[in-house]
Amino acid sequence: MGERGAVYLRSVSEDLGCRRGDFSRKHYGSVELLISSDADGAIQRAGRFRVENGSSDENTDYTPGTWHRTDVHLENPEYHTRWYFKYFLGKVHQNYIGTDAEKNPFFLSVVLSDQNNQRIPQYHSILWRKTGTQKICLPYSPTKTLSVKSILSAMSLDKFEKSPREIFHPEIQKDLLVLEEQEGSVNFKFGVLYAKDGQLTDDEMFSNETGSESFQRFLHLLGDTVTLKGWTGYRGGLDTKNDTTGTCSIYTIFQGHEIMFHVSTMLPYSRENKQQVERKRHIGNDIVTIVFQEGDESSPAFKPSMIRSHFTHIFALVRYNKQNDSYRLKIFSEESVPLFGPPLPSPPVFTNHQEFRDFVLVKLINGEKATLETPTFSQKRQRTLDMLIRSLYQDMMPDLHRVNNMLNRRSFSDVLPESPKSTRKKEEARQAEFVRLGQALKLKTTVKGDTTAHLATTSFCKKEPWESQSFCSNFPHEVVCADSWGQSLLVSTDAGILLIDDGQPSVQVFDKTLQIKQMHVLEALDLLIARTDKGKDSRLLVFRLSAVQKDIETKQIIRSKYDCRENKLERTKGCHLYAINTHHGSELRIVVAIRNKLLLVTKKYNPHHSLTSSSVLSSPESPVEEFQYIREICLSDPPVVMTLVDGPTGESDNMICVAYRHQFDLVNESTGESYRLHHVETNKVNFVAAIDVYEDGEAGLLLCYNYVCQYRKVYPFSGGSLLIQPSAYDFHFSWNQVPYAVVCAFPYILAFTTDSIEIRLVVNGNLVHTAVVPELQLVASRSDIYFKATAAVSGSSDSSSKEMSSKSSPQTPTAYEKPECPLSSLEGEIPCRNLYKIPLSNLVGRSIERPLKSPLAPKVIATTTSSGIASLPVTHSLSLSRMEIKEIASRTRKELLGLLDEPIPRTESAQKHKKVPRRQSDPKQGAVRSTSSDRIISSSFESYSETRHLSTSSDPDTLAHREGSSPSSYPFQLISLYDEDIIDLK
């Protein structure tokens, strides 16, 4: 087979999740044993560190230039992870106390709230245990009851030593806020150590009294010089009264986080003390330290083993090149620190200083958060959390025994009986006091600077890779399934099969007698595969795309179910599921599930067949004869999820991953032997997906079920047996909501629920964003991601700010506190259904060529922005080969994002050229609208802002960037720290 044919064939793909599965943890460095020695060559210290250098050879020639990337994000941002502060504090909610089967106390907090003013009532639940906190979202249903027991069961807590009881004291909010603060500080202190050329010991580096001119410019880039005496902001352990830790320091605010830098040359210097203990006392106790080293690349490089510190886990080595005015970055992380992003570009050279600053600060913040998960810190945090929970339990239990027994029993009630009027008035008074104390505590926490109060409003002004574009407005049909075809979308609806393209009328391809439940458009093979009908009548059909396209172009009669008899594959009657291989060499493989039987069908690749006119004329209209039955495999149960996994040789080691009952199994395609891959230890299992990913060419599987996403390495067969064993490469993470679909697009993995898209990083499962999308339905994901969002045509968001907290059991709001329903369900209003897409090129970080044209008439797409200026034509994408995807994964760091926006200038730090800057929040924010529930906080915070000189600026570049965005690009509102504050971009 020719090389060209092989590349074309590998572009066959099932969906974006499988096809975009190639990733590599090598981008995040490799572990090395680093040894430092003295001038005589004697070994002083040694340590194992993961070294991130962005390239294999630090001295490799490079041509630095401006670069853009997609994955520079704060991981696990506080405005998405600090749930109790965001959703609970200052609102009516319920708190419970109990002990598990091992007699360990736990606390449970439940609130029924509007999801970020999107009129989506749902439960946010937090389980506090000594091992940490667990957070989940549960949907609200006015007809389905929900008890505390069912909430705990969803958190895998089914057995209790003492049943949970509700806590009525308002003061419990303060104690629970303390528990949440154990997750880590929202503000950071980083060390900055200046090292002259040739200095190889920490004593030499800490003894530098002053820094060079380039070092001063670097400090000026990091932040602003502030006078410590009288400083009222975050001080990072420095003395702000008596100047015992120096007179000035470097300070900045980055995306809502206050950062104080411990600069070695600004800390007190002692001529008598060669070890400079005062300087080491601060920098040596910082988790993260920046080392600015003078000299060129040929000079001896810094090693972490040169620093005597058991506390510092991450070193960022910075070198400045005067010749091209660029910075080079290198990261050293102690071996136990989990992987954290963003990965360094290759080469790790930055000529844009603003991009360098943003990259460094994001990297360091993420690094400190990751370090808190190491055994050194996690064990201390667990001990502290256990002590706090046990102490709180002992304080609460005596009071709970004195509370009316009837009130305690309501924690497991589905419906609270109607209370007498006097009792209801007392309960309302208690709730009013509960809210008042919570709001006062929220204000106090904000005033202290212990929360990123303006973080969310600043982080959304830049264009994020997951931002969607309008594809089809007011789509009236129900979508069953879909797949991309060139620039168009082939959609199975209740009205038949339609071909949709942006800005053009839809074209009917098949009438509604043909009900397609699952489909694949394989452009390179000129094939359309579809599973039709249901039950015993279901079949697998195969069509030539060229024949379908010919019918569209000639506008012949629309095909019906009865015109497809010649397109049925034999032996597929009664199939309920099928899967195709996504990374194959010489043939297309299809596995069809018919109850508990698997039917393996293949189509040999024909190198002479392509989409040329001659091949179309010479080929029969139906490709059924090109498929051949191979074998049948029997399972114990019908599979719910099925994925094909390619073996290393592709001969007798191809596998099928199937999910049924409570397990994931691997089945050998050649022998039919089954091997247990993973057993799910829960009472109820909701299987979501099994996504095949190939890390550096080796197969692995992301097993998604319930709230869990589990990665398992799949080892090749050895002597006919599959090696399935725990591996250090295995990992798992949890979603906040149970998804119904998961899509992998390296470096991201996206979970789709009925009202949100949860976006995490594949490499570590860390959360980067949650987008609220009302009534969300994923439509297709093989190329660009298409989804449908349903929203009311009209309606004020202010009306949705009404508090929605249950006064009785978690699932039953009282009559005067019912959650508001979407306007679309009231007064008979017609909902507006729109189709949106998230371009693949934005997610993977490079522009992707589409060699095959849309089956509809070609056109130039130019969207008009709100300012009336036409934006650049939309770049569409096509399925990529396995090798091309690996190239994306390895070259993402030096490829352009494909967006031509100018970088947003730094405006987070205080105003420049002032000795004591005005302490401010991140100013890249639009107009924020606060509604009723937080007005007391908003008004108090505004007056306090004047006292502390908190300010926001109107950055012209930021405003221009925002005004230049098309309203149709935002099908949902961007959320801020508080769910009452929104930036409405509609």
Side-chain angles (χ1 to χ4, degrees), residues 474-529:
N474 195 20
F475 188 70
H477 307 292
E478 293 296 327
V479 177
V480 180
C481 63
D483 200 0
S484 56
W485 183 359
Q487 297 177 1
S488 304
L489 192 66
L490 189 63
V491 187
S492 175
T493 71
D494 53 353
I497 315 304
L498 307 177
L499 190 62
I500 305 171
D501 203 348
D502 188 9
Q504 295 193 38
S506 61
V507 176
Q508 184 101 23
V509 181
F510 298 93
D511 65 18
K512 62 181 181 181
T513 61
L514 187 67
Q515 301 177 9
I516 295 182
K517 306 298 183 182
Q518 187 181 358
M519 73 166 71
H520 286 87
V521 177
L522 308 181
E523 297 167 276
L525 295 182
D526 190 26
L527 283 178
L528 167 62
I529 305 175

Side-chain angles (χ1 to χ4, degrees), residues 972-984:
F972 45 83
Q973 294 166 325
L974 302 180
I975 61 176
S976 65
L977 174 64
Y978 309 116
D979 54 345
E980 294 82 14
D981 302 338
I982 61 173
I983 306 172
D984 196 343

